[in-house]
Amino acid sequence: MASSSRFTSGIFLAAFLLIFRASAAQDPKPTPGNTIKVQLGDPVAAQKFASSPKLWISEVIDRSANPQPKLVLKERGGLFLDRQPTEIVREALEQSLKAANLLAADASSADLVLKIYLFQFGLAQGSGLDFFGKVEFAAVVKNPKSGQTVEVRAAGTSIAKRAVRKKSIEKNVQDDIEESLRDALRNFLRGQQLKDAVGELGKDTGSASAVPPNA
Amino acid sequence: MRMRLYLAAVALVLACTGRAAAGTGKTPQYKTVEAKHFAQAEGVELDPTFGDYFYAELRQELNKAKLAKEVIGEGETVDDADAPQSIVISGTFTEYKKGSVVKSALIGFGAGFRSLKIDANVQRRSDKQNLGVMHVHVKANPRWNPETLAKFAARQLVKETKDELKKTAK
């Protein structure tokens, strides 16, 4: 009698575990409760160019090979971005270029055209003790008059603490991604590579070499 | 009993004054510090993501240590006026041992631990003068994620950099 009840309870336990595992294995779905809004906040100060060239972002292409670019964290019911990473990067870059008075009104009036290839946006593999945010992209800077191009690479990283509560996880991941986005934009807009690219391509447009920001 | 208490009090006072004297050698404050991605020596089989994680950890530790007013990213421009007050940290992962869980469990006492050796140097940005050379060797449990080594190594490296800069400033 005791053995049959043990057997029945064993069957129930196995069934429960199977159901639990099957439900846990399902891909998380975006809901208002597990979606974060990543935005730059204050624009990133760009380096000052001697004769400020006008830049235009033609397109931002996702090259991350990530089938779910909006999903940043799979565990604990998932965590999603509210927009595609390409949209977030474009908006942040335009905001910073506009603040530095480097953004052209349209493609035809631009001295240099940027084509952005986004390689990584979100969380990367870290130590497991924290969240490791990483944003990495390459910009192909093109002089539309001469057709000459130069590639400029930029990367931003950030590390944030792990958390236990879902709300704290959301906050930490959001802060981490925003910080890594800011770092990547800063790396791009204040980088030696962009300075060299503008100097090289600016020969035809009349733009001279750049000077770093005072701030 | 009284004599013992008196001796203990004297020892405590001496220790405190020694600490205070050691603390007077301050690390100079720099305008900017740039951390480079570290290279891998031949034969070192580390995951490419390890380098990125170490770079991020190093920058975070430099921020915490307040070695400079600003911790800039790799390849960022610095004002010519600030260049003499700016430093660059670069280095190489010279040795990495994966470790062995079996050895660690059977022998213990640190046997079979993962280990990482780093050689790094700190240079002044303006004239590329070497301000210090650091050698870091860290170990971690082989059951832990390899990236935890990066965490320990970054912390150790920043501590040694601070000490080297203190020595140079004297």
Side-chain angles (χ1 to χ4, degrees):
Chain A
M1 186 66 189
S3 66
S4 73
S5 69
R6 229 182 257 167
F7 178 75
T8 319
S9 59
I11 293 276
F12 272 116
L13 189 65
F16 173 74
L17 281 174
L18 276 173
I19 292 164
F20 180 74
R21 289 206 76 177
S23 64
Q26 277 175 2
D27 279 341
K29 299 274 182 288
T31 60
N34 67 1
T35 304
I36 52 171
K37 188 178 171 67
V38 172
Q39 51 191 4
L40 187 63
D42 296 333
V44 176
Q47 59 186 315
K48 288 188 177 72
F49 296 95
S51 59
S52 56
K54 294 291 178 193
L55 307 174
W56 178 255
I57 303 164
S58 65
E59 54 185 324
V60 183
I61 300 159
D62 192 347
R63 283 285 164 88
S64 64
N66 183 0
Q68 284 181 292
K70 284 165 93 175
L71 177 66
V72 285
L73 190 73
K74 209 168 180 179
E75 60 206 51
R76 300 285 298 271
L79 201 54
F80 291 84
L81 298 169
D82 63 333
R83 291 163 294 157
Q84 291 290 337
T86 49
E87 282 177 53
I88 297 169
V89 170
R90 177 189 272 271
E91 188 192 280
L93 205 47
E94 280 179 350
Q95 189 187 340
S96 296
L97 288 173
K98 200 172 181 180
N101 201 21
L102 292 171
L103 188 68
D106 50 39
S108 57
S109 65
D111 297 320
L112 299 169
V113 177
L114 306 177
K115 197 177 197 178
I116 311 287
Y117 293 95
L118 188 61
F119 297 119
Q120 182 144 19
F121 188 96
L123 298 180
Q125 186 196 334
S127 67
L129 304 169
D130 41 36
F131 294 118
F132 175 37
K134 193 176 167 195
V135 174
E136 192 178 1
F137 63 85
V140 176
V141 188
K142 185 179 179 183
N143 182 338
K145 286 171 191 159
S146 66
Q148 196 187 353
T149 59
V150 175
E151 189 186 288
V152 176
R153 281 185 162 264
T157 55
S158 173
I159 289 174
K161 280 182 187 169
R162 280 246 166 213
V164 179
R165 287 176 61 233
K166 186 83 193 279
K167 280 282 162 207
S168 308
I169 292 174
E170 279 175 21
K171 189 185 173 297
N172 290 5
V173 170
Q174 184 178 344
D175 291 350
D176 198 33
I177 297 175
E178 281 176 352
E179 191 52 45
S180 46
L181 173 65
R182 171 170 285 277
D183 196 40
L185 290 186
R186 195 191 133 108
N187 195 234
F188 175 68
L189 294 168
R190 293 196 185 184
Q192 186 69 38
Q193 285 187 40
L194 184 65
K195 182 179 173 178
D196 294 343
V198 169
E200 196 181 325
L201 300 172
K203 284 170 195 162
D204 294 339
T205 58
S207 304
S209 62
V211 288
N214 296 323
Chain B
M1 185 67 184
R2 270 195 175 181
M3 191 63 182
R4 262 188 209 165
L5 275 173
Y6 176 73
L7 284 174
V10 169
L12 188 70
V13 168
L14 282 175
C16 288
T17 48
R19 278 249 157 164
T24 50
K26 276 187 177 175
T27 314
Q29 177 81 25
Y30 291 94
K31 287 248 171 129
T32 69
V33 55
E34 177 186 346
K36 298 259 187 204
H37 272 86
F38 280 28
Q40 287 188 22
E42 217 174 287
V44 174
E45 290 174 7
L46 277 165
D47 200 79
T49 54
F50 183 91
D52 286 338
Y53 185 72
F54 176 78
Y55 167 75
E57 274 291 346
L58 182 58
R59 288 185 62 195
Q60 201 190 31
E61 288 297 328
L62 286 169
N63 257 324
K64 274 189 206 166
K66 294 191 173 92
L67 209 59
K69 281 182 186 166
E70 204 176 9
V71 178
I72 60 170
E74 188 172 9
E76 285 177 25
T77 52
V78 171
D79 197 346
D80 287 344
D82 292 340
Q85 283 296 305
S86 300
I87 51 173
V88 181
I89 298 174
S90 56
T92 310
F93 300 118
T94 53
E95 189 188 282
Y96 171 66
K97 286 182 184 165
K98 277 181 189 173
S100 160
V101 178
V102 178
K103 262 190 191 175
S104 168
L106 291 177
I107 304 168
F109 304 108
F113 269 32
R114 281 185 207 279
S115 88
L116 178 71
K117 280 184 186 172
I118 298 172
D119 284 353
N121 67 332
V122 54
Q123 285 185 334
R124 188 181 289 136
R125 182 178 271 272
S126 55
D127 55 2
K128 309 273 184 248
Q129 192 200 334
N130 218 344
L131 301 175
V133 178
M134 292 81 68
H135 303 286
V136 172
H137 185 196
V138 284
K139 290 184 173 189
N141 195 312
R143 290 179 194 87
W144 297 348
N145 193 326
E147 270 77 12
T148 44
L149 269 179
K151 205 174 236 322
F152 299 151
R155 198 171 298 162
Q156 184 69 19
L157 181 60
V158 170
K159 191 175 165 285
E160 289 199 13
T161 306
K162 231 176 165 179
D163 292 345
E164 281 293 317
L165 292 172
K166 244 184 226 178
K167 270 188 222 164
T168 317
K170 270 180 188 175

